[in-house]
Amino acid sequence: MLVVRKTVQMAVRKHLSRSFSASRNHLQERKGLVLGVFEKEAEEGGLHLTEAAARFDQSLSGKLSDLLKIAAPGLKKGKSRIFYGIHQDFPCVAVVGLGKDNEGVCGAENWDTKKENIRHAVSVGCKILQELEVNHVEVDDCGDAKSAAEGAVLGLFCYDQLKSKKKTRVTTQLHGSADVDDWKKGVVYAEGQNLARFLMEAPANHITPTAFANTIEEKVAPHADRVTVNKRPKAWIEEQQMGAFLSVTRGSEEPPVFLELYYNGCPDKKQLPLMLVGKGITFDSGGISLKPSQSMDAMRADMGGAATVCASIVTAAALKLPVNIIGLAPLCENMPSGKATKPGDVVTAKNGKTIQVDNTDAEGRLVLADALCYGLTFNPRAIVNVATLTGAMDVALGSAATGVFTNSDWLWEQLHKASVVTGDRVWRMPLFQHYSKQVTDCQLADLNNVGKYSRSGGACTAAAFLKEFVTAPHWAHLDIAGVMSNKDEVPYLSKGMSGRPTRTLVEFAAGLAHSG
């Protein structure tokens, strides 16, 4: 009996000293709340509660306001304060700074600052509560339920599938707002980007071309009435005479897959489809032109183009966007072996053009060339290809924006407008004849897969190479090499593969759907 009493006393003492490290059963019932506050313009250090936060404060007879005056005078954007035990339904309440209430679209930054501040602040609150092992969080809409949902879902993402110790899984819901539809839409947008993050982050031995295709097939299964999937094998690729694509696959033991997705969201058969093409190199060693070993592991995400394209189509299907989309993803590995393509080899693309492959590490443009030729046969209203194509793009823009090369002012305007809404920015790059001459001046073939002056303007010469395979009047090439991963640049994304620009692609498709 004495032993039992001592055991109980020790347990109680432990519970009192570590109130948020209780038993698993207790943790399963813990709820948290994220509320927002704006900075007051005219009052130094003053705070203005959101509508939901004001109602919560009123239910506590002003207790929250009193605590904020003591603990958080002048709470700046992206900063937070945690309060414990102030409400019986929410043991933990995170109050986050949203910046100024009068922010909006900023021409200098090319985004909606208020939306970005909400995403940032909500993600901060959710992540802090997750660290406290709170597993259900209600979130203030902060004046924009869609952005709040995106901040919550993106901020809570963590790729720990292969770890023994995992982070607390957190469910979220809207608090104190009737704007449920926009909240749900934001959740779907963010889950789409998280799907791309998952695919890009997973090890290359887990996400092979076949595994990638199977994963996407599983993700679109709930929308089978609107989405058709074709997983084309190597024999089909050979029948299509995709010699450029096949040249990249030669060194790997993993079979290539040419993945096709057909989303039929619009019953009007006269509506031409939007074509999305994504580079799908599931691991890029560089081939015979071998990459340095340092950071080569990151090349598991060299299928970021395919990941974002496929994730955006999954998202479009979940949103039931009234638009038709075709997605193409040439999937393979780029590996060295006795069978691999050698520098100086000449291969023939689907359109009959010959290509001198002087650098086997410039393989993305080869797989895209054949995919673009195939995509043109569907007579799309617009064709957008997405690829982690060049390190030069990272040098040019870093992680601030996706580089866009396009022959269409209309298409640029649609992409740019979408990016301002999502905060996942794009920036227009040149497609001068100056660069085309550098890839068409070739010793052995019609084209060279690297520019005449090697590193100079590398992102531009890569785009110029792709242009040689496009006859459509509305085409855009998105080079996402610079935005492939995130360190701390985007505050609501954790360190790792970013899944960018999935939400911008979805917003772009939604814009086309609503504009007809």
Side-chain angles (χ1 to χ4, degrees):
M1 189 68 179
L2 182 62
V3 172
V4 172
R5 188 180 299 132
K6 285 184 176 179
T7 302
V8 171
Q9 288 173 341
M10 288 175 64
V12 170
R13 203 173 292 127
K14 184 177 180 181
H15 178 71
L16 289 173
S17 63
R18 298 180 63 197
S19 59
F20 299 104
S21 298
S23 70
R24 179 60 55 187
N25 290 336
H26 180 63
L27 286 172
Q28 287 174 353
E29 299 172 353
R30 177 161 290 134
K31 293 169 64 177
L33 178 63
V34 175
L35 297 171
V37 294
F38 292 102
E39 297 173 24
K40 274 189 178 178
E41 285 284 339
E43 186 179 332
E44 183 66 30
L47 297 174
H48 167 60
L49 301 181
T50 63
E51 290 183 14
R55 285 193 297 270
F56 183 82
D57 184 45
Q58 189 176 12
S59 73
L60 297 175
S61 302
K63 186 176 181 181
L64 179 63
S65 292
D66 293 340
L67 288 170
L68 285 170
K69 288 175 184 176
I70 298 169
L75 186 63
K76 299 298 182 182
K77 68 177 180 180
K79 301 300 181 181
S80 65
R81 295 291 186 274
I82 303 293
F83 300 106
Y84 305 103
I86 63 173
H87 194 283
Q88 61 180 3
D89 294 336
F90 304 102
C92 307
V93 177
V95 179
V96 294
L98 297 167
K100 297 174 182 177
D101 193 15
N102 63 352
E103 299 277 22
V105 175
C106 176
E109 289 294 332
N110 278 259
W111 65 22
D112 188 315
T113 302
K114 185 174 182 178
K115 291 178 183 292
E116 278 294 283
N117 287 351
I118 291 170
R119 293 181 188 109
H120 179 193
V122 169
S123 73
V124 167
C126 288
K127 283 190 280 190
I128 287 174
L129 294 177
Q130 183 183 42
E131 289 170 5
L132 294 171
E133 298 185 332
V134 172
N135 63 1
H136 182 73
V137 176
E138 294 191 16
V139 179
D140 179 356
D141 74 3
C142 302
D144 188 326
K146 182 172 177 285
S147 297
E150 290 174 335
V153 176
L154 291 171
L156 289 167
F157 174 84
C158 175
Y159 184 86
D160 59 4
Q161 276 78 353
L162 305 178
K163 291 187 175 184
S164 300
K165 187 177 181 180
K166 303 182 190 300
K167 282 195 172 184
T168 302
R169 291 290 178 262
V170 181
T171 56
T172 60
Q173 74 178 71
L174 185 60
H175 175 83
S177 171
D179 203 358
V180 177
D181 288 343
D182 267 4
W183 170 269
K184 289 180 178 178
K185 185 183 292 185
V187 169
V188 174
Y189 269 64
E191 286 178 344
Q193 184 168 346
N194 285 349
L195 171 58
R197 293 166 85 183
F198 168 83
L199 290 166
M200 294 169 71
E201 196 70 79
N205 63 329
H206 285 246
I207 299 294
T208 61
T210 301
F212 183 107
N214 291 342
T215 300
I216 295 301
E217 187 174 38
E218 291 170 8
K219 293 297 180 182
V220 298
H223 317 292
D225 58 327
R226 295 185 299 279
V227 183
T228 303
V229 180
N230 289 332
K231 297 182 292 184
R232 306 294 194 181
K234 183 178 180 181
W236 180 90
I237 300 168
E238 291 171 337
E239 288 173 9
Q240 293 294 315
Q241 298 182 316
M242 295 182 175
F245 178 26
L246 286 167
S247 74
V248 179
T249 73
R250 289 173 57 86
S252 176
E253 293 296 317
E254 288 289 341
V257 177
F258 193 94
L259 180 64
E260 297 177 85
L261 301 177
Y262 298 87
Y263 168 63
N264 298 303
C266 179
D268 183 3
K269 300 298 182 183
K270 294 180 181 178
Q271 187 194 89
L272 297 176
L274 166 64
M275 175 70 66
L276 300 178
V277 182
K279 170 188 169 185
I281 306 296
T282 59
F283 187 76
D284 182 16
S285 69
I288 296 298
S289 306
L290 195 67
K291 291 179 181 289
S293 59
Q294 186 177 6
S295 301
M296 192 194 285
D297 67 291
M299 289 298 97
R300 66 187 183 275
D302 205 29
M303 27 61 75
T308 55
V309 161
C310 293
S312 66
I313 293 175
V314 171
T315 306
L319 293 168
K320 299 181 179 179
L321 294 182
V323 64
N324 296 326
I325 308 174
I326 299 175
L328 305 178
L331 301 163
C332 70
E333 292 181 337
N334 183 26
M335 298 291 286
S337 79
K339 297 179 181 179
T341 297
K342 304 170 291 298
D345 284 359
V346 174
V347 301
T348 304
K350 180 175 172 61
N351 67 349
K353 289 190 178 184
T354 55
I355 305 165
Q356 182 175 332
V357 183
D358 273 357
N359 187 337
T360 65
D361 194 24
E363 84 299 330
R365 64 202 71 181
L366 298 176
V367 304
L368 286 174
D370 281 337
L372 287 169
C373 291
Y374 179 67
L376 291 171
T377 64
F378 294 92
N379 190 31
R381 65 191 294 194
I383 183 165
V384 177
N385 71 257
V386 188
T388 50
L389 205 65
T390 63
M393 192 74 258
D394 184 26
V395 172
L397 296 181
S399 59
T402 292
V404 177
F405 301 80
T406 180
N407 61 1
S408 167
D409 292 340
W410 167 80
L411 187 52
W412 160 250
E413 289 167 4
Q414 300 303 311
L415 288 165
H416 180 255
K417 184 168 66 173
S419 75
V420 170
V421 174
T422 64
D424 198 348
R425 297 174 290 195
V426 296
W427 191 255
R428 193 168 188 177
M429 302 290 288
L431 262 181
F432 302 147
Q433 279 296 115
H434 174 90
Y435 301 113
S436 296
K437 292 175 182 177
Q438 294 181 40
V439 295
T440 55
D441 184 0
C442 180
Q443 182 180 0
L444 302 177
D446 298 324
L447 299 165
N448 200 306
N449 80 323
V450 289
K452 183 178 179 181
Y453 304 118
S454 186
R455 294 171 59 87
S456 297
C460 301
T461 54
F465 177 91
L466 293 177
K467 186 183 175 185
E468 294 296 314
F469 298 89
V470 177
T471 57
H474 301 295
W475 162 70
H477 156 55
L478 276 58
D479 193 335
I480 63 170
V483 302
M484 180 182 81
S485 62
N486 191 68
K487 294 181 281 294
D488 56 9
E489 306 95 322
V490 181
Y492 48 86
L493 301 179
S494 55
K495 183 179 179 181
M497 300 306 168
S498 71
R500 296 169 64 188
T502 302
R503 288 182 300 114
T504 293
L505 290 174
V506 176
E507 187 67 20
F508 161 65
L512 291 187
H514 298 139
S515 67

